[in-house]
Amino acid sequence: MMGRVIATVVGWSRLHAVAVLAVALVLALTAGFYAANRITVDTNLDKLISPNLSWRKRANEMDKAFPQKVDLLVIVVDGATPDQAEDAALALAAKLRAQPAMFRDVRVPDLNNFFRRNGLLFLPKTEVQDYANQMIAAQPFLGSLAADPSLRGVFGVIQLMAQGVQQGAVPPRDIATALNAVHRAAASALAGKYDPLSWQTLLSGTAPTPDDLRRIILTQPTLDYSALMPGKKAVDAVRSAARALGLTPDRGVSVHVTGSVALDDAQLATLAKGAGFSTALSLSLLCLWLLLALRSLRIFTAIIVTLTVGLLATTAFAVFAIGPFNPISVAFAVLFIGISVDLSIQFSVRYRDERYRAGDFTEALARAAQGIGRPMAVAALSAGVGFFSFVPTDYNGVSDLGWIAGVGMLIALVLNLTLLPALLSLLRPRGEPRPVGFAWAKAVDSLLIRRRRAVLTGAAVVAIACLVTLPRISFDFNPLDLQNQKSEAVATLNALMSDPMNTPYTIDILTPSPTAAAVLAKRLDSLPEVDQTITVSSFVPDDQDAKLAIIADARTLLAPTVSPATVKPPPTDQQILDSIRPANAELKKITNGYAEAERLSHTLDGILAKGTRALPLLKTNLADEIPDRLEDVRLALAAQKITLDSIPPEVKRDWMTPDGRTLVEVYPKGDARDNAVLRRFATAVQAVAPNATGSPITILESAHTVTRAFVTAGLIAVVAIALLLVVVLRRTRDVGLVLLPLLLAGVLTLATTVGFGLPLNYANIIALPLLLGIGVSFDIYFVMRWRAGHSDLLQSSTARAILFSALTTGTAFGSLALSNHPGTASMGALLTISLAYTLLCTFIVLPALLGPAPPPPE
């Protein structure tokens, strides 16, 4: 029945070729115009998974409670000195705040006045005492700088130091560090280099830690999800602001971006990078395979036109019925091209074969429709069912892809049975001078039938060996592993994670109150998988009274010193030079055997020789940061007792909601970049707090959602395709003959991932259900030819069509393997591997399974 209907449709299309072509062209123009004016892409990756899942609801509740933590663009500022890092971060944050339309929120968490004033209270008591002692010891110098925060004041301090050494009041070693620091900054200025002295390091007397040299700015940019990279404008604004402020590596500061916004943009940018080349290469190879398969430019033209009309129609359907494309559903084009070209090749190669046998065009077209039309329909319907199996899953990105690709298969089938025959009728390809199949494969056909038991035994052994490896299949659920590790956003994040306190892999738990948060935090701290917890109560330091007493004593001595009643006005250039001469003179008196003094004196000789020309950079390197550092000392001496109520709103809002709900942030013990560590951490915390959320929970639950989606889709596809084949083939044995080679190809593919250390991931797992949708077509063509009484499978035109169809599809998949995006590249590689195994099983195992052909039906 189906065969007769298809033959009738093809015959009608031949007779009304002009009308069919006209309708197709109108359809193409209408669809193209509609799609071009309505097509949009939503690059919001959060929408790829259903928001109705319980873990998504918990995450959304947390986002609503603390909206300032959502969609962050994290700016990492690294400085050659702590002073540079701090000043650069504050300056950049101020410049970004001046762009409220671009940045809704900008903050530097560890540099607000609360922490600058009370930071000492969060240190151990011994370190507070050390700081106080250091400041008291530096009191004379602090006093001079506070009264004259300029180059004149700096050289006044140098003069006092040298005089102290001369009088025996100051041991030379006590001022060696200061003289070396001033010498370095002055020598750099003399050489025309920017190299500011770090007053923080000099006053503290300790070497800076990596954390001291880094500051983090948190911003919430306005995102444009209609653009390929929603955060690109914000990132460009950050770079522009940094350049305008002179925050460049040659000036000792580097600015990098990371965070969810930058990471998502980096992923999308990596996907786009090189896409033009890989697409051009793929299309070129596709055309080559088509020409080799068809050996006719006219047939080639007919297929390209059919493909183009189908692609435009499918795109228009997607825009109308689904709405904006997402980063996954845009892949429908690759799938449509693969299947549509397969159908075109099958029909055209069969037509060529019949044209060789019959000679007459009309008869050849009719015989091709009768011979291959039904298998084509079954193949297209099976592929469509495979794609539609994605629809009922919670993985929205793939669900949309399933709708579009499934409908696309139906469109491709209709066009290949109407427009393609009409085009062939109009173009009238020349006759075929030679057989279309592979004559050399006759011996292989015979061998596979004669040795079918050996082939099947070998296939069974291979299948068993592959099944043994399946328990060792691994799934890499960390989305960071699917990104280009060299991209700025990923590299910056990896650098940040060298400090466990900067890990993004923290778990968040919302509790009713600060008291409930403290109780839960205590329970979680006892877990071996937990390094520490932070709540709003963590910002109330321990042992405050003892620390405040130390600070109060220091304040009594230092407050009048760092806050003098009068401050000298800025000096003129001549006054600066006049202050350098006596300082240099005093240094020369102690240069005998004192290398630090001798080096600095020699540099000051050069400064004096150069005169006022040396002063601008000398001022930048030595004096510009003095006012800010003195203010840091004043703030530190003004520390006050902290209570839960006295924590300022800008700090508290990150840990408490207005209605009192309180956040508990949990940090993992060990390297959370290790998937095993992350899984144990998340499992342990969820056992105590089932309502937990955060990136570790999101990553694991996303993995479960995605794998469940593909398992569901796979089961639906297998059952639905099997039912379809039962209806069409009406023999359970024949259904098994179609599916068994596919199952073998599937286990071979999975075993290969184990053998070559290729873990499954969010991207490449799509290869398995696609294998079923595409591979079933190949097997259907052979099984239905065999049912028609033909044993010459490999030497037939069907084999030629399958081979070149696999080459065209493999080219499309192979182009994905060339992607700069590791996830896409792994998907392309696994798709190519699975397609190769499918072709191998179709050409070797399936003929052996089928054996001698039954008598042709009457």
Side-chain angles (χ1 to χ4, degrees):
M1 177 65 180
M2 181 187 293
R4 289 196 298 272
V5 171
I6 290 173
T8 301
V9 170
V10 170
W12 185 90
S13 300
R14 177 185 63 79
L15 292 172
H16 303 85
V18 174
V20 171
L21 178 59
V23 171
L25 290 178
V26 171
L27 172 65
L29 291 173
T30 304
F33 179 80
Y34 178 82
N37 286 279
R38 299 291 185 90
I39 191 169
T40 57
V41 178
D42 187 346
T43 52
N44 188 346
L45 300 180
D46 283 341
K47 295 182 180 179
L48 295 182
I49 294 179
S50 170
N52 298 320
L53 298 168
S54 59
W55 63 271
R56 285 297 308 273
K57 291 179 179 178
R58 295 197 304 271
N60 289 336
E61 181 186 7
M62 185 67 71
D63 291 345
K64 290 178 181 178
F66 301 101
Q68 70 274 18
K69 295 188 175 186
V70 180
D71 293 333
L72 290 179
L73 177 64
V74 178
I75 305 167
V76 180
V77 180
D78 291 308
T81 68
D83 313 58
Q84 286 178 282
E86 180 175 317
D87 294 343
L90 290 172
L92 182 57
K95 196 165 185 67
L96 297 181
R97 286 192 194 100
Q99 305 177 58
M102 182 66 69
F103 297 97
R104 292 172 289 145
D105 186 35
V106 179
R107 52 204 166 99
V108 190
D110 58 345
L111 289 182
N112 64 43
N113 280 344
F114 173 76
F115 291 109
R116 292 178 70 189
R117 176 180 289 109
N118 301 303
L120 289 174
L121 298 180
F122 293 91
L123 298 176
K125 179 181 173 182
T126 55
E127 292 186 25
V128 177
Q129 187 65 65
D130 290 343
Y131 176 85
N133 293 342
Q134 188 77 18
M135 293 302 100
I136 292 170
Q139 184 178 17
F141 311 124
L142 287 173
S144 297
L145 291 174
D148 188 2
S150 67
L151 276 177
R152 180 179 57 198
V154 172
F155 289 108
V157 170
I158 297 297
Q159 184 176 350
L160 286 175
M161 288 180 174
Q163 290 171 345
V165 171
Q166 294 174 46
Q167 297 166 6
V170 178
R173 65 176 181 273
D174 286 359
I175 64 170
T177 300
L179 294 186
N180 279 333
V182 173
H183 160 70
R184 176 177 170 175
S188 295
L190 186 60
K193 298 178 182 178
Y194 175 81
D195 187 13
L197 181 148
S198 172
W199 287 98
Q200 283 191 33
T201 301
L202 188 60
L203 292 174
S204 68
T206 58
T209 65
D211 282 349
D212 295 331
L213 301 175
R214 173 171 289 161
R215 291 293 181 265
I216 296 175
I217 305 172
L218 302 180
T219 71
Q220 272 191 312
T222 301
L223 302 178
D224 178 11
Y225 286 113
S226 65
L228 174 63
M229 293 177 283
K232 185 178 185 302
K233 291 181 180 178
V235 173
D236 290 344
V238 171
R239 301 197 195 289
S240 177
R243 285 194 301 270
L245 293 169
L247 306 182
T248 55
D250 61 305
R251 292 183 63 83
V253 178
S254 61
V255 177
H256 300 288
V257 295
T258 187
S260 60
V261 170
L263 288 167
D264 288 349
D265 277 9
Q267 181 164 231
L268 295 167
T270 304
L271 284 168
K273 184 179 180 182
F277 170 76
S278 60
T279 300
L281 178 63
S282 175
L283 291 175
S284 299
L285 288 175
L286 185 145
C287 291
L288 173 65
W289 300 135
L290 280 176
L291 288 170
L292 290 175
L294 305 170
R295 297 176 182 172
S296 169
L297 191 58
R298 297 182 185 185
I299 302 177
F300 169 81
T301 302
I303 289 178
I304 294 300
V305 172
T306 303
L307 175 64
T308 303
V309 173
L311 194 56
L312 289 173
T314 305
T315 304
F317 161 78
V319 172
F320 174 77
I322 306 298
F325 287 102
N326 61 59
I328 293 178
S329 64
V330 293
F332 87 93
V334 174
L335 303 178
F336 180 87
I337 291 171
I339 300 295
S340 181
V341 168
D342 169 64
L343 297 175
S344 297
I345 289 176
Q346 289 294 336
F347 188 90
S348 300
V349 170
R350 186 58 176 264
Y351 154 76
R352 289 186 59 217
D353 185 43
E354 297 297 345
R355 184 70 183 274
Y356 169 76
R357 298 176 188 277
D360 178 67
F361 170 81
T362 302
E363 184 178 353
L365 197 65
R367 289 171 61 171
Q370 293 167 0
I372 198 64
R374 187 162 174 258
M376 281 174 57
V378 176
L381 291 173
S382 297
V385 166
F387 292 128
F388 283 131
S389 67
F390 291 129
V391 172
T393 67
D394 292 316
Y395 197 6
N396 290 347
V398 170
S399 178
D400 288 352
L401 175 64
W403 269 117
I404 299 169
V407 172
M409 295 306 98
L410 302 181
I411 292 173
L413 176 62
V414 171
L415 290 175
N416 277 284
L417 295 177
T418 56
L419 179 58
L420 181 58
L423 287 168
L424 292 176
S425 298
L426 294 173
L427 294 172
R428 292 287 170 155
R430 294 190 180 96
E432 295 295 333
R434 64 181 70 89
V436 175
F438 299 126
W440 54 266
K442 181 176 181 180
V444 182
D445 275 327
S446 177
L447 178 65
L448 290 175
I449 292 176
R450 290 199 319 271
R451 304 289 185 182
R452 60 186 305 230
R453 181 170 296 180
V455 172
L456 295 178
T457 300
V461 171
V462 169
I464 293 171
C466 290
L467 289 171
V468 171
T469 69
L470 297 191
R472 294 161 53 197
I473 293 174
S474 62
F475 187 92
D476 185 354
F477 53 78
N478 193 333
L480 273 183
D481 293 340
L482 301 186
Q483 295 212 39
N484 183 351
Q485 299 300 302
K486 294 181 181 180
S487 70
E488 178 186 355
V490 177
T492 302
L493 181 60
N494 284 330
L496 281 179
M497 286 193 289
S498 60
D499 178 2
M501 286 302 296
N502 289 329
T503 178
Y505 298 123
T506 57
I507 290 178
D508 299 326
I509 307 161
L510 202 55
T511 62
S513 66
T515 302
V519 171
L520 178 60
K522 187 174 182 179
R523 289 182 62 195
L524 293 170
D525 282 330
S526 66
L527 296 176
E529 296 84 3
V530 172
D531 183 53
Q532 66 170 322
T533 58
I534 296 179
T535 72
V536 69
S537 300
S538 303
F539 296 93
V540 180
D542 296 330
D543 204 12
Q544 289 190 71
D545 291 338
K547 297 172 186 176
L548 286 169
I550 296 171
I551 295 171
D553 290 342
R555 182 169 59 244
T556 301
L557 293 171
L558 294 174
T561 302
V562 297
S563 301
T566 60
V567 177
K568 290 183 179 181
T572 64
D573 287 352
Q574 188 57 51
Q575 288 173 329
I576 294 173
L577 293 173
D578 289 345
S579 69
I580 295 176
R581 291 188 182 93
N584 193 24
E586 295 299 331
L587 284 172
K588 290 184 183 298
K589 296 176 182 179
I590 61 173
T591 54
N592 187 23
Y594 190 14
E596 288 83 359
E598 184 176 359
R599 280 197 299 268
L600 178 55
S601 177
H602 179 72
T603 299
L604 294 182
D605 288 339
I607 296 287
L608 291 169
K610 196 171 184 179
T612 57
R613 290 174 299 155
L615 296 185
L617 197 50
L618 184 66
K619 177 178 179 294
T620 299
N621 282 359
L622 277 177
D624 279 357
E625 295 177 356
I626 293 175
D628 289 336
R629 301 297 79 82
L630 288 171
E631 181 62 19
D632 288 341
V633 174
R634 295 185 193 105
L635 285 172
L637 294 175
Q640 298 175 345
K641 188 167 185 175
I642 302 171
T643 65
L644 204 57
D645 292 333
S646 69
I647 297 174
E650 65 268 21
V651 175
K652 188 177 289 186
R653 69 171 186 153
D654 285 344
W655 302 93
M656 283 184 66
T657 63
D659 60 5
R661 288 175 297 164
T662 305
L663 175 67
V664 179
E665 194 168 77
V666 192
Y667 287 75
K669 183 173 290 183
D671 186 359
R673 287 171 288 188
D674 184 328
N675 289 341
V677 171
L678 194 66
R679 182 184 286 108
R680 288 196 298 269
F681 170 57
T683 302
V685 172
Q686 280 189 297
V688 175
N691 64 326
T693 184
S695 57
I697 307 296
T698 297
I699 289 171
L700 289 172
E701 292 291 356
S702 295
H704 294 154
T705 299
V706 171
T707 52
R708 186 167 58 246
F710 282 108
V711 169
T712 300
L715 292 175
I716 292 174
V718 169
V719 173
I721 291 174
L723 290 175
L724 175 64
L725 294 177
V726 167
V727 171
V728 174
L729 301 179
R730 300 179 183 176
R731 296 179 192 167
T732 305
R733 176 178 178 273
D734 290 355
V735 174
L737 292 174
V738 170
L739 295 179
L740 279 176
L742 287 178
L743 297 177
L744 177 58
V747 296
L748 281 167
T749 301
L750 292 173
T752 299
T753 67
V754 175
F756 287 88
L758 301 173
L760 296 178
N761 55 50
Y762 293 113
N764 64 25
I765 194 174
I766 199 173
L768 300 178
L770 287 184
L771 164 67
L772 184 62
I774 294 172
V776 71
S777 304
F778 296 166
D779 291 356
I780 286 171
Y781 295 136
F782 265 5
V783 169
M784 296 190 76
R785 183 176 180 86
W786 173 81
R787 280 165 56 104
H790 301 284
S791 295
D792 58 339
L793 298 180
L794 297 184
Q795 58 190 298
S796 66
S797 60
T798 303
R800 181 185 184 87
I802 290 175
L803 175 61
F804 281 97
S805 175
L807 287 173
T808 56
T809 305
T811 296
F813 292 163
S815 68
L816 297 176
L818 299 177
S819 172
N820 291 287
H821 186 265
T824 302
S826 73
M827 178 173 68
L830 200 58
L831 282 168
T832 304
I833 291 169
S834 67
L835 184 63
Y837 281 134
T838 301
L839 193 62
L840 178 68
C841 292
T842 300
F843 276 15
I844 303 299
V845 178
L846 182 55
L849 272 173
L850 295 173
E858 295 295 333

